[in-house]
Amino acid sequence: MNNAIRDLYPTRGATEVAILRQDPVVWSPPGASGPVAPTRLQAYEREGFLTIEELISPAEVERCRVELDRIVNDPVIRADERSIIEPKSEEVRSVFEVHRISKVFAALVRDERVVSRARQILGSDVYVHQSRVNVKPGFGASGFYWHSDFETWHAEDGLPRMRAVSVSIALTENFETNGSLMIMPGSHKTFLGCAGETPKDNYKKSLQMQDAGTPSNQALSTLANRHGIRLFTGKAGSATWFDCNAMHGSGDNITPYPRSNVFIVFNSVENAAQSPFAAPAPRPPYIGARDFTPVR
């Protein structure tokens, strides 16, 4: 448990609590240079997300898809603890730390189209807190229940402040029907501290089916009624940037059409992970990095 730093966002206590955000959404000063236009940056501050129709080209998408196929079909990687397996189908659901096991995805992390937006939003150099590929093959791949990433990263990884941003880059077309990302616009302005203690080694269960850190139905209904729900679709190569505290999730994919995305979390070097705020021990570094070297 983290007792050295004031906890602005208490969670995993006896009751669920709602707390107004104590941090900026956009950390760079007004007028700071960067690839995101001021009007779009204002929209990101207001809604908590930013979409780009073609972040990477079709040729780059194909290169990433070939690499994705190699990774999920490699028996050594499948047997590694960084691979999360669907309990029913026994297919690969996610592979973590892909920027360390793949030169293709390492180059994508360093690509200025990707990392420069993170620096602009967070107002500093950044490091990779987490990277992974999410694979949702057709006919039954399970979804990800509603959650705030920051709640988990704060409770279990020790991120002190809301100074992280995620980008999900589509490697297949994201339809309305194949388990695409859903976000509640504006929900990033409210932190939901969840009820219940964090079990030991919670990550072993939560990466397949989240329990600890899940908001109540009542809290989710309140947020949804206040903010609505936005479903993100787009062609392969499109990207969605979203704030670390945005309430989001995705449904099962029961269509024949797979949905695969590469997911990168950038955290400010000025917000390096500390001891967990509400867990017995930090998660393994392949899930929550303890190497704070800036991306170059």
Side-chain angles (χ1 to χ4, degrees):
M1 296 287 184
N2 195 327
N3 298 315
I5 298 175
R6 182 187 171 206
D7 187 357
L8 297 177
Y9 302 104
T11 188
R12 312 284 173 99
T15 59
E16 187 175 60
V17 294
I19 303 169
L20 289 178
R21 185 187 184 109
Q22 304 294 300
D23 291 311
V25 177
V26 176
W27 288 74
S28 58
S33 62
V36 185
T39 54
R40 301 212 70 192
L41 212 56
Q42 290 167 7
Y44 177 86
E45 195 282 335
R46 182 176 63 252
E47 299 184 323
F49 59 83
L50 169 70
T51 58
I52 298 173
E53 291 185 1
E54 186 178 308
L55 182 69
I56 61 176
S57 70
E60 291 169 311
V61 168
E62 182 59 26
R63 189 178 310 123
C64 289
R65 287 172 66 165
V66 169
E67 182 68 351
L68 174 66
D69 288 342
R70 181 191 72 80
I71 288 171
V72 299
N73 290 299
D74 185 327
V76 175
I77 294 176
R78 179 186 171 89
D80 190 277
E81 61 183 352
R82 289 175 287 196
S83 293
I84 310 302
I85 309 301
E86 283 277 1
K88 292 183 179 179
S89 68
E90 297 188 351
E91 294 189 78
V92 173
R93 173 189 178 102
S94 302
V95 179
F96 282 80
E97 217 173 33
V98 289
H99 71 296
R100 294 195 181 277
I101 63 177
S102 164
K103 292 182 179 179
V104 171
F105 291 120
L108 187 61
V109 164
R110 295 191 303 269
D111 192 308
E112 282 298 307
R113 292 170 296 179
V114 177
V115 71
S116 62
R117 287 179 169 86
R119 294 191 191 108
Q120 184 181 7
I121 290 169
L122 302 180
S124 69
D125 280 332
V126 297
Y127 71 92
V128 177
H129 177 69
Q130 184 185 102
S131 73
R132 68 179 187 263
V133 286
N134 287 336
V135 184
K136 272 193 174 181
F139 299 117
S142 55
F144 294 85
Y145 197 69
W146 290 106
H147 63 286
S148 153
D149 287 327
F150 177 75
E151 193 279 337
T152 297
W153 300 339
H154 182 69
E156 301 185 38
D157 298 338
L159 294 198
R161 310 292 291 268
M162 293 182 182
R163 201 171 179 180
V165 63
S166 302
V167 58
S168 176
I169 304 171
L171 302 183
T172 56
E173 186 160 358
N174 285 219
F175 300 106
E176 293 182 353
T177 51
N178 67 342
S180 292
L181 175 71
M182 295 181 288
I183 293 179
M184 297 184 188
S187 60
H188 61 303
K189 300 289 184 74
T190 302
F191 175 75
L192 283 182
C194 298
E197 293 186 358
T198 308
K200 182 181 178 182
D201 294 336
N202 180 54
Y203 71 93
K204 293 180 179 179
K205 178 183 177 183
S206 66
L207 297 177
Q208 291 182 331
M209 185 65 67
Q210 190 160 352
D211 186 10
T214 301
S216 68
N217 290 346
Q218 181 179 359
L220 289 171
S221 297
T222 298
L223 285 177
N225 290 336
R226 182 187 302 158
H227 300 292
I229 296 173
R230 170 80 181 271
L231 175 68
F232 292 86
T233 60
K235 295 186 179 299
S238 62
T240 301
W241 295 81
F242 57 101
D243 180 83
C244 60
N245 191 48
M247 191 61 66
H248 65 288
S250 62
D252 295 350
N253 181 13
I254 61 172
T255 74
Y257 312 114
R259 174 183 175 260
S260 298
N261 295 59
V262 57
F263 183 85
I264 306 162
V265 180
F266 293 103
N267 187 37
S268 168
V269 296
E270 299 173 14
N271 190 46
Q274 312 292 322
S275 299
F277 284 85
R283 298 189 298 175
Y286 66 86
I287 302 175
R290 315 306 285 192
D291 178 353
F292 312 131
T293 305
V295 175
R296 296 283 187 244

